Amino acid sequence: MNTVVKQKWVDALRSGEYEQAQSKLFDGSNYCCLGVLCDLYSKEHDDHWEHRFSEFANHDLWYYDNQAEVLPEVVMDWAGLKQNNPKVKLIDPESEFTVVENIAGLNDSGYNFKELSNYIEEQL
């Protein structure tokens, strides 16, 4: 991962500026950890989130470069990431085995931004 972008991402996650959301990059006011990275890209490139109403889901959705749940390719390229939902390793406390999880899955299962920023800083 690009070290400059990684530091910006880690700093943003730790800043308290972003409130955490689950299951989507952005919900109109809060972000998942991947959404924070998209927002950093948007600010640096003077780009914007796109709001759409989904009749299928019957609620509002926010997209960044046509993605609502994972990183779009333009953000991946900027950040130097090879996956749209990067994976990190953690130790399962019950079995003590190493488990590989994607970062958005950890975000959605209750890991807070500080915890996620530590995994990003150490492993990506």
Side-chain angles (χ1 to χ4, degrees):
M1 177 172 194
N2 177 305
T3 56
V4 173
V5 173
K6 176 166 67 170
Q7 193 60 55
K8 289 178 184 182
W9 191 16
V10 166
D11 291 345
L13 290 169
R14 293 175 178 164
S15 71
E17 177 184 341
Y18 292 92
E19 294 293 325
Q20 194 167 1
Q22 279 102 20
S23 302
K24 51 187 83 57
L25 293 173
F26 179 54
D27 67 8
S29 58
N30 301 320
Y31 300 81
C32 86
C33 61
L34 298 177
V36 171
L37 186 59
C38 291
D39 199 56
L40 294 172
Y41 177 89
S42 77
K43 289 175 179 175
E44 190 167 305
H45 293 87
D46 195 31
D47 201 2
H48 304 284
W49 289 88
E50 182 183 349
H51 175 253
R52 300 180 200 162
F53 181 78
S54 170
E55 291 186 27
F56 175 75
N58 197 29
H59 63 79
D60 294 331
L61 292 174
W62 290 85
Y63 289 83
Y64 198 82
D65 199 37
N66 289 316
Q67 291 294 333
E69 297 175 355
V70 295
L71 294 174
E73 194 169 317
V74 67
V75 176
M76 288 171 47
D77 291 345
W78 172 72
L81 291 167
K82 295 179 180 166
Q83 299 171 316
N84 62 8
N85 190 357
K87 296 182 186 307
V88 295
K89 295 177 185 176
L90 57 144
I91 305 295
D92 182 326
E94 293 179 20
S95 68
E96 297 186 14
F97 288 113
T98 300
V99 179
V100 177
E101 294 285 344
N102 63 55
I103 201 84
L106 295 176
N107 180 94
D108 294 350
S109 66
Y111 285 75
N112 64 44
F113 279 169
K114 183 175 184 216
E115 293 167 316
L116 295 169
S117 71
N118 292 335
Y119 286 115
I120 292 164
E121 185 173 54
E122 295 165 6
Q123 298 185 36
L124 297 182

